[in-house]
Amino acid sequence: MTEGGKEIERLIELMARLPGLGPRSARRAVLALIKKREMLMDPLARALAEVAATVRECEICGNIGTGPRCAICLDPKRSDTELCVVEDVADLWAMERGRSFRGRYHVLGGVLSALDGVGPDELRIPRLIARVEEGAIAEVILALNATVDGQTTAHYIADQLESLPVELTSLAQGVPVGGELDYLDDGTISAALRARKRL
Amino acid sequence: MTEGGKEIERLIELMARLPGLGPRSARRAVLALIKKREMLMDPLARALAEVAATVRECEICGNIGTGPRCAICLDPKRSDTELCVVEDVADLWAMERGRSFRGRYHVLGGVLSALDGVGPDELRIPRLIARVEEGAIAEVILALNATVDGQTTAHYIADQLESLPVELTSLAQGVPVGGELDYLDDGTISAALRARKRL
């Protein structure tokens, strides 16, 4: 295929490796970039190079940012007594979109998985325990995904923190806001029933 | 939203402008890039900058490439007597994936559209006429999209080339290879019926 030369083919091939893009949509994206060179391609090339050069993990929580500490850890208005544990940065962003948590985060960087050979030391679990041992945190909220590995990880963390004077909670399970019962899986319905509330 | 700082937010915003990506998939793509910085983000930033710096329109046909003339116009093995007229570079690439056309191309850069104020001079129609007038071309194949604007453009070009000693053809309309009649629109079925062939 002679799609406009080696450089363009290489760009298409790299774009196709992004999640959500395949070879066809990568081609469309590259053509759109070439059409809008000044409005889109040049700024995107600059933004990518800039982020690639500056992005780093926050030394406290594992969130990404452009300094040694992330914007959330540096924010003086957030509470130091609540710590929300998430699997990865995407989950942290999802929590932030909820706009109701005003404490700090701890990003594990994955979940325990015997199959993939991921043990506690591959994740930020030792650092989580160290943060809790410092004593300022009153509540640890486990916001791990409701998958088998996520729940295994939650149980492991609960075991490790048991002896420390900290309250351990997890996100409620139930019917999503706006969700229709008819479209929900059985597990969610029975979890919502077990956790039913008095009106 | 404090999604890891201004630079990352700007990158997400730019990625979200690509066709096929929205804000959510742009976030996912940026996180994947940050996770695979050396394998994906750095090479992509370099490839983008390189293409942005070198890509240009072929001075003959309007295809994109990295020199004054594109790879197809430079290919000595292709026939100079057949010229395939397409709307844009994506259509040229689609024709090339068909692997059966071995002539040259002419990319119009769009279609005539009274609504959008696109006249013949906004497209590469004058250059198409000039190419045909040079005399080497025996057949012009109009491979324009089967849309109203595409067909209007095809008729306009046919009018302009009428007085020149060149054969004008267009792509056949009919049932797509592997297509099921039940899923085809009525227009395609009746076009395929009108163009039916003896076995």
Side-chain angles (χ1 to χ4, degrees):
Chain A
M1 203 89 60
T2 52
E3 286 182 346
K6 266 212 319 273
E7 294 89 348
I8 296 172
E9 269 173 65
R10 168 110 181 109
L11 179 58
I12 292 172
E13 190 211 298
L14 285 166
M15 293 286 289
R17 285 199 229 154
L18 291 176
L21 287 180
R24 190 184 207 96
S25 42
R27 272 199 303 269
R28 275 182 60 217
V30 168
L31 279 173
L33 283 168
I34 290 173
K35 258 188 201 162
K36 300 183 199 161
R37 191 187 323 194
E38 270 141 62
M39 289 290 294
L40 192 51
M41 193 174 206
D42 290 341
L44 185 60
R46 275 197 303 273
L48 260 177
E50 202 175 353
V51 170
T54 59
V55 75
R56 51 195 290 185
E57 274 177 7
C58 172
E59 59 187 20
I60 298 179
C61 73
N63 185 17
I64 52 172
T66 48
R69 300 189 170 189
C70 75
I72 293 176
C73 285
L74 286 174
D75 187 344
K77 282 190 244 139
R78 301 184 76 117
S79 152
D80 283 319
T81 57
E82 288 170 316
L83 186 71
C84 179
V85 178
V86 290
E87 287 181 25
D88 56 33
V89 175
D91 296 334
L92 186 159
W93 289 358
M95 289 292 299
E96 283 295 285
R97 285 199 296 279
R99 289 165 195 270
S100 50
F101 180 65
R102 299 299 299 162
R104 310 283 178 183
Y105 287 95
H106 193 83
V107 180
L108 292 178
V111 280
L112 296 176
S113 167
L115 269 178
D116 299 326
V118 181
D121 296 333
E122 271 76 47
L123 305 177
R124 274 186 210 87
I125 291 182
R127 274 164 69 181
L128 169 63
I129 296 166
R131 277 182 90 175
V132 175
E133 279 172 344
E134 284 168 16
I137 295 159
E139 180 179 358
V140 171
I141 301 163
L142 296 177
L144 301 178
N145 291 331
T147 56
V148 172
D149 285 345
Q151 295 309 302
T152 307
T153 311
H155 281 123
Y156 178 84
I157 292 173
D159 275 353
Q160 299 291 307
L161 297 180
E162 209 181 17
S163 59
L164 295 169
V166 71
E167 194 177 357
L168 256 179
T169 57
S170 74
L171 292 187
Q173 289 196 314
V175 181
V177 174
E180 291 183 49
L181 291 189
D182 198 16
Y183 291 92
L184 281 177
D185 63 296
D186 308 350
T188 302
I189 289 186
S190 57
L193 184 66
R194 282 195 303 274
R196 66 191 178 278
K197 296 181 300 186
R198 245 175 228 293
L199 289 178
Chain B
M1 204 85 62
T2 53
E3 287 181 346
K6 266 212 318 273
E7 294 87 348
I8 297 171
E9 270 171 63
R10 167 112 181 105
L11 180 56
I12 293 172
E13 190 211 299
L14 285 166
M15 292 286 290
R17 285 199 229 153
L18 292 176
L21 288 179
R24 189 184 207 95
S25 42
R27 272 198 304 270
R28 276 181 60 216
V30 168
L31 278 173
L33 283 167
I34 290 173
K35 259 189 198 159
K36 301 185 200 159
R37 191 184 326 192
E38 271 140 61
M39 289 290 294
L40 192 51
M41 193 173 204
D42 290 340
L44 184 60
R46 275 197 301 274
L48 259 177
E50 202 174 354
V51 170
T54 58
V55 76
R56 51 196 290 184
E57 274 176 7
C58 171
E59 60 186 20
I60 298 179
C61 73
N63 184 17
I64 52 174
T66 48
R69 299 189 173 190
C70 74
I72 292 175
C73 285
L74 287 174
D75 187 345
K77 280 189 248 139
R78 299 185 76 118
S79 151
D80 283 319
T81 58
E82 287 170 317
L83 185 72
C84 178
V85 177
V86 291
E87 286 180 26
D88 55 33
V89 175
D91 296 333
L92 187 159
W93 289 358
M95 288 291 300
E96 283 296 284
R97 286 198 296 278
R99 290 165 195 272
S100 50
F101 181 66
R102 300 298 300 160
R104 312 282 178 183
Y105 288 95
H106 193 84
V107 181
L108 292 178
V111 280
L112 295 175
S113 167
L115 269 178
D116 299 327
V118 181
D121 296 334
E122 272 75 48
L123 307 176
R124 275 186 209 86
I125 292 182
R127 275 164 67 183
L128 169 63
I129 296 167
R131 276 182 90 175
V132 176
E133 280 171 343
E134 284 167 17
I137 296 160
E139 179 179 358
V140 171
I141 301 162
L142 296 177
L144 301 178
N145 291 330
T147 56
V148 172
D149 284 345
Q151 294 310 303
T152 307
T153 310
H155 282 123
Y156 178 84
I157 292 172
D159 275 353
Q160 299 292 307
L161 299 180
E162 208 179 17
S163 57
L164 296 170
V166 72
E167 193 177 356
L168 255 180
T169 58
S170 73
L171 293 187
Q173 288 194 315
V175 181
V177 174
E180 293 182 49
L181 290 190
D182 197 17
Y183 291 92
L184 280 178
D185 63 293
D186 308 348
T188 302
I189 290 187
S190 58
L193 184 65
R194 281 195 303 274
R196 67 192 178 273
K197 297 181 297 187
R198 246 177 227 291
L199 289 178

